């Protein structure tokens, strides 16, 4: 089954404790992306990756890091989480590269609470 | 700047009513793509439709229909005879080119919460 898998689905942690949210897709997609969803703000892009070792900032990259060492995986790293990063996070992938013509496949979301 | 506006924050209807969710976008691209996604209470994002800028035909899928009008930069979504299961947040999105790299990214509206009561 084609899917995007995020882990963990839920996490409560404390300020400053490094965490990683994993994202893996089994569709051999080149494009992957991270979004955060906040009330009243919709989904905003954090980082995206066009291919292995090719990443770029989205609209709200501050406080986040990503890596793309393999095509299937695109982890989101919070080196020193802060309460303003409490949010619902989505990973997505797409078969497209330069032009997003196809719908993105989304993971089920990760709800992070930073105390 | 390219953006997507969903002015309706929340809409409440009674089952069987028709409801239209508005989406207005801004872009300088001549070729672009628009999308609608549904987010039910369970939280996942479900793709509903994609429309490219060269195809202005309206589309109907069961009780769902979409009205794309380039002249008014709108891509509205209508649910006919709404049902309780239609209760969800609906997002409109536009693909745009990143100013940094020229690569495309998806820009979402802020969403419209639809509440359908029995």
């Amino acid at each position: 089954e084609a899917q995007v898998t995020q882990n963990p689905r839920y996490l409560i942690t404390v300020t400053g404790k490094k965490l990683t949210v994993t994202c893996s897709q089994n569709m051999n997609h080149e494009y992957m992306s991270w979004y955060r969803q906040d009330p009243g703000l919709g989904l905003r892009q954090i980082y995206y990756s066009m291919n292995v070792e090719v990443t770029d900032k989205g609209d709200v990259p501050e406080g986040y890091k990503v890596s793309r060492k393999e095509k299937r995986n695109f982890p989101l790293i919070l080196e020193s989480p802060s309460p303003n990063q409490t949010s619902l996070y989505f990973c997505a992938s797409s078969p497209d590269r330069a032009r997003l013509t196809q719908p993105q496949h989304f993971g089920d979301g990760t709800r992070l609470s930073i105390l | 700047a390219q953006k997507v506006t969903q002015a309706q924050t929340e809409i409440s209807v009674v089952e069987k009513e028709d409801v239209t969710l508005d989406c207005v976008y801004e872009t300088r691209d001549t070729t672009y793509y628009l999308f609608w996604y549904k987010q039910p209470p369970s939280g996942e994002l479900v793709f509903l439709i994609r429309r490219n800028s060269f195809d202005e035909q309206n589309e109907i899928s069961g009780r769902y229909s979409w009205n794309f009008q380039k002249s008014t930069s709108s891509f509205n979504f209508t649910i006919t005879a709404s049902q309780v299961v239609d209760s969800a947040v609906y997002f409109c999105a536009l693909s745009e080119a990143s100013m940094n790299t020229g690569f495309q990214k998806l820009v979402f509206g802020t969403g419209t919460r639809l509440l359908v009561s029995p």
Side-chain angles (χ1 to χ4, degrees):
Chain A
E1 180 191 347
Q3 58 186 7
V4 177
T5 304
Q6 294 178 227
N7 280 298
R9 293 290 313 281
Y10 304 91
L11 179 63
I12 301 174
T13 187
V14 296
T15 299
K17 186 176 180 183
K18 180 179 177 179
L19 68 91
T20 299
V21 185
T22 63
C23 175
S24 181
Q25 51 93 4
N26 62 1
M27 295 165 280
N28 202 36
H29 286 172
E30 295 188 335
Y31 183 99
M32 296 186 75
S33 180
W34 276 103
Y35 299 88
R36 61 177 289 174
Q37 181 181 357
D38 301 290
L41 297 177
L43 280 83
R44 295 178 293 166
Q45 190 178 51
I46 304 170
Y47 268 95
Y48 65 98
S49 170
M50 305 304 297
N51 209 333
V52 174
E53 302 292 2
V54 180
T55 64
D56 195 16
K57 296 176 181 178
D59 296 317
V60 288
E62 295 78 20
Y64 304 95
K65 284 175 56 176
V66 293
S67 69
R68 189 91 182 271
K69 294 186 170 60
E70 312 163 275
K71 193 182 244 188
R72 65 182 292 124
N73 295 323
F74 190 44
L76 180 69
I77 303 156
L78 285 72
E79 293 271 4
S80 183
S82 62
N84 63 12
Q85 292 177 298
T86 292
S87 186
L88 176 59
Y89 291 84
F90 287 98
C91 180
S93 73
S94 169
D96 292 311
R97 292 193 67 188
R99 180 166 288 278
L100 287 179
T101 64
Q102 300 299 318
Q104 294 191 17
H105 297 253
F106 283 87
D108 288 337
T110 295
R111 189 167 291 281
L112 284 183
S113 294
I114 317 291
L115 305 177
Chain B
Q2 289 147 315
K3 65 177 186 178
V4 177
T5 301
Q6 294 180 258
Q8 304 150 308
T9 305
E10 186 169 304
I11 301 174
S12 293
V13 299
V14 177
E15 221 173 7
K16 296 185 184 161
E17 283 185 30
D18 298 346
V19 58
T20 295
L21 310 182
D22 298 333
C23 174
V24 175
Y25 61 93
E26 295 177 31
T27 181
R28 285 172 291 194
D29 289 351
T30 54
T31 303
Y32 51 90
Y33 286 76
L34 294 159
F35 302 83
W36 276 94
Y37 285 87
K38 173 183 179 180
Q39 186 177 45
S42 49
E44 73 273 20
L45 286 159
V46 179
F47 165 74
L48 295 177
I49 192 172
R50 175 195 66 176
R51 179 52 46 112
N52 76 55
S53 52
F54 295 111
D55 183 2
E56 288 197 69
Q57 271 195 324
N58 290 334
E59 181 148 345
I60 297 175
S61 175
R63 296 182 297 107
Y64 294 171
S65 63
W66 290 269
N67 183 356
F68 175 37
Q69 295 204 338
K70 249 174 132 170
S71 59
T72 56
S73 297
S74 64
F75 186 39
N76 296 337
F77 172 32
T78 297
I79 302 175
T80 302
S82 59
Q83 299 176 1
V84 172
V85 292
D86 295 326
S87 297
V89 180
Y90 291 87
F91 291 99
C92 181
L94 164 74
S95 66
E96 67 164 356
S98 164
M99 291 186 68
N100 294 332
T101 64
F103 289 131
Q104 294 273 301
K105 63 175 186 174
L106 212 55
V107 176
F108 284 82
T110 52
T112 297
R113 180 178 300 278
L114 175 64
L115 299 170
V116 182
S117 53

